[in-house]
């Protein structure tokens, strides 16, 4: 009995739906992701078991390195421009358009007022390196507010809904963190987030 030969047929799979799904997923992740700004100094957060999420918008981030230097940033660049103009105006400092643009382009700020104009005239790479050795002063000026308190106060004036978040290195002395908290309490900023890394069971 003769064998029946089956005609071979090419298998063709339409990949169009799969490529459409991949493009949609890619667009979704691009639109919903948030980018972390580079920080002038590396900070390793202490661990905790708290899983409270820090808001992603309308946040004034306060960064304290292990040497006690204080830096800040805001997510809203328009509001940041209003804040810096309000603070510098109290010191009689008038920033040029280029200096203001440089300030807003930096991921974080932490320059004392007596050095801010010279600092903003530097190239971007020079500003990044110089900032590591600076920090916002916590000392009161003539018995009044400190520069740190002025920045926080003006950020609150510009955006009444802003949240304050403190991120400190695990090796930062407690007295430094306590001082930052006292500075906030003195201007009635009694609610703030403490940023930590999540402690796992293995840790």
């Amino acid at each position: 009995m003769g064998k029946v030969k089956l005609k071979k047929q090419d298998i063709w799979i339409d990949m169009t739906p799969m490529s459409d799904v991949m493009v949609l997923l890619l667009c979704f992740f691009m639109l919903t992701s948030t980018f972390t700004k580079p920080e002038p100094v590396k900070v390793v957060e202490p661990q905790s078991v708290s899983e409270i999420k820090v808001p992603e918008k309308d946040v004034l981030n306060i960064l304290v390195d292990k040497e006690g230097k204080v830096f800040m940033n805001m997510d809203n660049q328009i509001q940041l421009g209003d804040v810096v103009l309000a603070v510098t105006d109290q010191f009689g400092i008038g920033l040029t358009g280029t200096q203001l643009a440089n300030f807003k382009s930096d991921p974080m700020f932490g320059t004392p007022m007596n050095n801010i104009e010279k600092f903003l005239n530097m190239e971007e790479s020079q500003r990044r390196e110089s900032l590591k050795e600076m920090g916002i002063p916590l000392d009161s000026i003539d018995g009044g507010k400190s520069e740190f308190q002025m920045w926080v106060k003006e950020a609150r004036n510009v955006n009444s809904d802003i949240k304050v978040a403190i991120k400190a290195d695990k090796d930062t002395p407690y007295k430094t963190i306590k001082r930052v908290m006292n500075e906030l309490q003195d201007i009635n900023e009694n609610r703030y987030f403490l940023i930590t890394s999540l402690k796992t069971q293995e840790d």
Side-chain angles (χ1 to χ4, degrees), residues 9 74 109 126 131 137:
Q9 295 181 348
M74 290 177 63
F109 59 92
Q126 291 178 312
L131 191 62

Short mmCIF file of all heavy atoms in Angstrom, two decimals, residues 9 74 109 126 131 137:
data_model
loop_
_atom_site.label_atom_id
_atom_site.label_comp_id
_atom_site.label_asym_id
_atom_site.label_seq_id
_atom_site.Cartn_x
_atom_site.Cartn_y
_atom_site.Cartn_z
N GLN A 9 2.97 22.71 4.87
CA GLN A 9 2.49 24.09 4.83
C GLN A 9 3.35 24.96 5.74
O GLN A 9 3.72 24.55 6.84
CB GLN A 9 1.03 24.17 5.28
CG GLN A 9 0.07 23.45 4.33
CD GLN A 9 -1.37 23.60 4.80
OE1 GLN A 9 -1.62 24.02 5.91
NE2 GLN A 9 -2.29 23.23 3.92
N MET A 74 13.55 70.85 45.11
CA MET A 74 12.10 70.87 44.90
C MET A 74 11.81 70.27 43.54
O MET A 74 12.60 70.43 42.61
CB MET A 74 11.55 72.30 44.97
CG MET A 74 11.57 72.91 46.36
SD MET A 74 10.99 74.65 46.35
CE MET A 74 9.29 74.43 45.78
N PHE A 109 20.36 72.21 45.67
CA PHE A 109 21.02 73.46 46.04
C PHE A 109 21.42 73.40 47.50
O PHE A 109 20.81 72.70 48.30
CB PHE A 109 20.12 74.67 45.75
CG PHE A 109 18.80 74.67 46.49
CD1 PHE A 109 18.67 75.29 47.71
CD2 PHE A 109 17.67 74.07 45.93
CE1 PHE A 109 17.45 75.32 48.39
CE2 PHE A 109 16.46 74.09 46.58
CZ PHE A 109 16.34 74.71 47.82
N GLN A 126 31.86 72.51 37.54
CA GLN A 126 32.48 73.13 38.70
C GLN A 126 31.47 73.28 39.84
O GLN A 126 31.82 73.09 41.01
CB GLN A 126 33.04 74.51 38.33
CG GLN A 126 34.24 74.46 37.40
CD GLN A 126 34.72 75.86 37.03
OE1 GLN A 126 33.93 76.73 36.66
NE2 GLN A 126 36.01 76.08 37.14
N LEU A 131 29.70 72.20 45.23
CA LEU A 131 28.55 72.06 46.11
C LEU A 131 28.79 71.04 47.22
O LEU A 131 28.27 71.18 48.33
CB LEU A 131 27.32 71.66 45.29
CG LEU A 131 25.97 71.73 46.01
CD1 LEU A 131 25.66 73.15 46.46
CD2 LEU A 131 24.86 71.20 45.12
N PRO A 137 23.58 76.92 55.67
CA PRO A 137 23.88 77.17 57.08
C PRO A 137 22.64 77.03 57.97
O PRO A 137 21.54 77.44 57.61
CB PRO A 137 24.40 78.62 57.09
CG PRO A 137 24.82 78.89 55.68
CD PRO A 137 23.90 78.08 54.82
#
